[in-house]
């Protein structure tokens, strides 16, 4: 059965810290791995990763996929209170298979 | 603003009732997806439509049904509601629901069953 596991479940840090969120998967075939940020309402798209070893970057956020070891990480540097959210990882097969998310809380 | 609209924003109803949630995809998108997000289950895929036809089915209960109309909007019907159906229901759309496509999410409909 296809499975996506995110860790940690919850993370509390101070502003300025760097965090690494993990997404490991047991999915036989997928087209891409997606990261979303969910605040109070709908998830917003962050990254789509299709190739192993190529880092995608957007400001303080970056992400990379390792298809050999079956995981992806999302890094956030110099965290800000506005980064507080649930971060979701999803595998794109015929449908999206989501992990349960990592809740990040950033305190001033 | 993703361009996907959902109505209503909030819905409170009693057990045993039936509700309809409505979704309008982004302009030009042919594929619509429905998801349920509850506290203990995370985000669960329910069903996907493409250009009016059902394309993929996930963990959708028999009490739930959906359809996509010729104008591409979609409705999710939930019947014989139970307390456990209380959740946030998201609709997402993509251009044609095929490979390597980003899905754009609507703001969700929060359903509370009392």
């Amino acid at each position: 059965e296809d499975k996506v596991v995110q860790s940690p479940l919850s993370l509390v840090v101070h502003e300025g810290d760097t965090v690494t969120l993990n997404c490991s998967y047991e999915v036989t075939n997928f087209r891409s791995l997606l990261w979303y940020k969910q605040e109070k309402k709908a998830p917003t798209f962050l990254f789509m990763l299709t190739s192993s070893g190529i880092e995608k970057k957007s400001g303080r956020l970056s992400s990379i996929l390792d298809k050999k070891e079956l995981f992806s990480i999302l890094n956030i540097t110099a965290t800000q209170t506005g980064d507080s959210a649930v971060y979701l990882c999803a595998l794109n097969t015929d449908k999206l298979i989501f992990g349960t998310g990592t809740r990040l809380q950033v305190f001033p | 603003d993703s361009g996907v609209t959902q109505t209503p924003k909030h819905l409170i109803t009693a057990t045993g009732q039936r509700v309809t949630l409505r979704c309008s995809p982004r302009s030009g998108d042919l594929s619509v997806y429905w998801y349920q997000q509850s506290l203990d289950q995370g985000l669960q895929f329910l069903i996907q439509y493409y250009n009016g036809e059902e394309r993929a089915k996930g963990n959708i209960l028999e009490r739930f049904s959906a359809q996509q109309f010729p104008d591409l909007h979609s409705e999710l019907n939930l019947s014989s509601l139970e307390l456990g159906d209380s959740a946030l229901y998201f609709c997402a759309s993509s251009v044609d629901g095929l490979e390597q496509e980003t899905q754009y999410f609507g703001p969700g409909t929060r359903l509370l069953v009392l």
Side-chain angles (χ1 to χ4, degrees):
Chain A
E1 185 188 333
D2 294 337
K3 199 172 166 185
V4 179
V5 177
Q6 289 186 247
S7 62
L9 286 178
S10 182
L11 198 50
V12 179
V13 299
H14 287 289
E15 270 191 321
D17 289 351
T18 293
V19 297
T20 298
L21 311 184
N22 296 282
C23 173
S24 63
Y25 57 88
E26 294 171 18
V27 176
T28 44
N29 282 302
F30 67 97
R31 300 181 181 95
S32 58
L33 185 146
L34 304 160
W35 282 97
Y36 290 88
K37 177 183 181 182
Q38 183 176 20
E39 295 172 271
K40 289 181 183 173
K41 293 190 175 178
T44 52
F45 172 76
L46 293 176
F47 295 110
M48 180 172 72
L49 304 164
T50 54
S51 302
S52 196
I54 298 175
E55 186 184 51
K56 293 238 174 150
K57 207 166 163 61
S58 175
R60 296 177 294 104
L61 276 66
S62 63
S63 185
I64 197 162
L65 173 63
D66 186 329
K67 284 189 174 180
K68 188 178 170 189
E69 300 297 328
L70 308 183
F71 76 94
S72 173
I73 59 171
L74 175 68
N75 276 315
I76 308 175
T77 59
T79 52
Q80 302 171 356
T81 54
D83 296 327
S84 297
V86 173
Y87 290 84
L88 294 166
C89 162
L91 274 293
N92 189 5
T93 60
D94 291 328
K95 54 185 185 278
L96 284 185
I97 305 170
F98 282 88
T100 50
T102 293
R103 180 175 294 280
L104 173 64
Q105 293 175 275
V106 182
F107 287 95
Chain B
D1 184 0
S2 67
V4 178
T5 60
Q6 288 186 249
T7 57
K9 285 179 66 171
H10 301 275
L11 201 47
I12 302 174
T13 189
T15 54
Q17 298 297 308
R18 174 190 168 87
V19 296
T20 297
L21 312 184
R22 194 176 187 283
C23 167
S24 293
R26 289 190 322 156
S27 177
D29 284 1
L30 297 177
S31 194
V32 169
Y33 308 76
W34 285 98
Y35 294 87
Q36 179 193 57
Q37 183 176 29
S38 52
L39 283 173
D40 59 347
Q41 295 273 341
L43 203 57
Q44 297 278 326
F45 167 72
L46 296 178
I47 198 163
Q48 179 198 0
Y49 280 82
Y50 171 72
N51 207 19
E53 299 290 325
E54 182 184 304
R55 173 168 276 185
K57 214 166 186 174
N59 300 320
I60 188 165
L61 299 172
E62 283 190 16
R63 299 184 286 110
F64 297 180
S65 64
Q67 53 183 330
Q68 186 179 27
F69 294 87
D71 67 351
L72 301 176
H73 92 269
S74 179
E75 292 181 358
L76 178 66
N77 298 294
L78 315 176
S79 60
S80 303
L81 284 167
E82 300 175 1
L83 296 177
D85 297 328
S86 297
L88 200 50
Y89 290 84
F90 287 109
C91 165
S93 74
S94 68
V95 175
D96 59 11
L98 294 179
E99 296 186 7
Q100 299 185 0
E101 280 196 338
T102 299
Q103 295 181 24
Y104 294 87
F105 281 77
T109 293
R110 186 173 292 281
L111 172 66
L112 179 61
V113 182
L114 300 176

